[in-house]
Amino acid sequence: MNLEALFKISYGLYIVASVKEGKLSAQIANTVFQVTSEPPKIAVCLNKKNTTHEFVKSSRVFSVSVLEKETPMQFIGRFGFRNSRDFNKFEGVNFKIGKTGAPIVLSHAVAFFEVELENECDVGTHTIFVGKVVDAEIISDAPPMTYEYYHYVKKGKAPKTATVYLEK
Amino acid sequence: MNLEALFKISYGLYIVASVKEGKLSAQIANTVFQVTSEPPKIAVCLNKKNTTHEFVKSSRVFSVSVLEKETPMQFIGRFGFRNSRDFNKFEGVNFKIGKTGAPIVLSHAVAFFEVELENECDVGTHTIFVGKVVDAEIISDAPPMTYEYYHYVKKGKAPKTATVYLEK
């Protein structure tokens, strides 16, 4: 079997952000998808080791920012390769606190959603969090970043905690 | 709130196929994604009204074929807008029976996976099916179809049972 076949699956690139007792967290994720339309529900898949996983489990709210295609690699690295526990990812970043209390990253975002958690599906190293969309806005008409563009054109890497990591 | 923000999420386009008591089913899906890498697990989100949903629940196996960018609209329509109960979607289509017993569509596919079901997550009108990848192959180097390309360039539509349907 050739697991590189898994690289043929298409994804976008997103920042998922949450809150716990006044502390903010945010991380890069590629597994964000709409799962129902009536009512509109979103699912995200997060690694159990990540701070945002802990915060979503606790506060039961999160936001998703859809990143624009030309998001600088440095910006992605800030959210994807650091830990919210010991580094303030929001410093110098344009964001707002949404109606759920979760932070919403606006820098380099073409759209955002806010989600109230309804289901958790334990899939091993990760959890799929599913919830109802309670707010949604388009911020810009710039094209969204795809994971393919990030990986093949921008030569971006995935951390070991990603859903798509494949040891070579 | 502007639910068109949900159209900024990136997806590919896939055929999910399954089997039940010797009968084959297959449908178009856009919500296919890898959820863990150790071991490699895949999730798909299917509408409860679809025959493939019933077959996956029963046989606990399914295949995913990643469609190539230039898949003809007629081919997509065959799998996306007909019902496996009263129409043989596989007639004239290149496919094989995989090691799980599920059919695997090879026509217009750049890669496929076979999956053994592990978890089901009820999210309302749809179920997220999660399972372990037990086979995976790359078939061609053609670029995969993205939902964006299908929707905006090829002017493809989504049926009411899709995860992304949005009444206008």
Side-chain angles (χ1 to χ4, degrees):
Chain A
M1 104 166 145
N2 179 3
L3 286 174
E4 300 215 350
L6 296 171
F7 286 143
K8 303 289 186 182
I9 301 175
S10 299
Y11 306 94
L13 212 63
Y14 311 90
I15 292 178
V16 177
S18 191
V19 63
K20 182 185 176 183
E21 295 157 11
K23 284 185 191 152
L24 309 181
S25 74
Q27 68 158 82
I28 298 289
N30 65 301
T31 44
V32 170
F33 39 95
Q34 187 177 351
V35 292
T36 68
S37 67
E38 289 166 1
K41 289 188 197 177
I42 292 281
V44 302
C45 186
L46 303 182
N47 193 295
K48 290 177 181 174
K49 289 180 182 164
N50 288 357
T51 306
T52 303
H53 184 286
E54 175 196 331
F55 283 23
V56 172
K57 252 184 131 46
S58 166
S59 64
R60 300 185 64 82
V61 295
F62 62 90
S63 75
V64 175
S65 301
V66 182
L67 291 176
E68 64 183 348
K69 188 172 179 183
E70 296 309 335
T71 303
M73 293 300 276
Q74 206 185 356
F75 187 83
I76 295 171
R78 178 180 191 92
F79 287 95
F81 289 89
R82 305 292 298 261
N83 192 316
S84 293
R85 278 184 199 93
D86 52 29
F87 174 68
N88 181 2
K89 296 184 178 185
F90 292 89
E91 199 181 301
V93 169
N94 185 13
F95 75 101
K96 68 174 182 180
I97 301 299
K99 59 168 69 162
T100 63
I104 302 167
V105 172
L106 301 172
S107 301
H108 303 295
V110 301
F112 70 81
F113 328 108
E114 275 191 276
V115 181
E116 281 175 3
L117 189 64
E118 284 192 344
N119 296 59
E120 297 175 38
C121 184
D122 186 337
V123 294
T125 54
H126 291 65
T127 302
I128 303 174
F129 292 109
V130 181
K132 211 174 278 184
V133 175
V134 295
D135 202 9
E137 292 301 339
I138 291 175
I139 300 171
S140 106
D141 285 330
M145 173 82 89
T146 62
Y147 185 74
E148 187 198 18
Y149 184 80
Y150 168 73
H151 188 67
Y152 292 103
V153 182
K154 306 263 268 185
K155 306 293 179 199
K157 300 204 182 312
K160 283 199 179 187
T161 49
T163 54
V164 294
Y165 182 76
L166 193 67
E167 197 126 22
K168 298 242 183 186
Chain B
M1 107 167 143
N2 178 3
L3 286 174
E4 300 215 348
L6 296 170
F7 288 143
K8 303 289 186 182
I9 300 175
S10 298
Y11 306 93
L13 212 65
Y14 312 89
I15 292 178
V16 177
S18 192
V19 63
K20 183 184 175 183
E21 295 155 10
K23 285 187 190 148
L24 310 181
S25 74
Q27 68 159 82
I28 298 290
N30 65 301
T31 44
V32 170
F33 38 95
Q34 187 177 352
V35 292
T36 69
S37 68
E38 288 167 0
K41 288 188 197 176
I42 291 282
V44 303
C45 186
L46 303 182
N47 192 298
K48 290 177 181 174
K49 289 179 181 164
N50 288 356
T51 306
T52 303
H53 185 284
E54 175 196 330
F55 283 23
V56 172
K57 253 185 130 49
S58 165
S59 65
R60 300 184 64 80
V61 296
F62 63 91
S63 75
V64 176
S65 301
V66 182
L67 291 177
E68 65 183 349
K69 188 173 177 180
E70 296 308 335
T71 304
M73 292 300 277
Q74 206 186 356
F75 187 83
I76 295 172
R78 179 179 190 91
F79 287 94
F81 289 89
R82 304 293 298 259
N83 192 318
S84 294
R85 278 185 199 94
D86 51 31
F87 174 69
N88 181 2
K89 296 186 180 186
F90 292 89
E91 199 182 301
V93 170
N94 185 15
F95 74 100
K96 67 174 183 181
I97 302 298
K99 60 167 70 162
T100 63
I104 302 167
V105 172
L106 302 171
S107 299
H108 303 293
V110 300
F112 71 81
F113 329 109
E114 274 190 277
V115 181
E116 281 175 4
L117 189 63
E118 285 194 341
N119 296 61
E120 297 175 38
C121 185
D122 185 336
V123 293
T125 54
H126 290 66
T127 302
I128 303 174
F129 292 110
V130 181
K132 212 174 276 182
V133 176
V134 295
D135 201 8
E137 292 301 340
I138 291 175
I139 301 171
S140 107
D141 285 332
M145 174 81 89
T146 63
Y147 185 76
E148 187 198 17
Y149 185 78
Y150 168 72
H151 188 67
Y152 291 104
V153 181
K154 306 264 266 183
K155 307 292 179 201
K157 301 208 181 308
K160 283 199 177 186
T161 49
T163 55
V164 295
Y165 183 75
L166 194 66
E167 196 125 22
K168 298 240 187 192

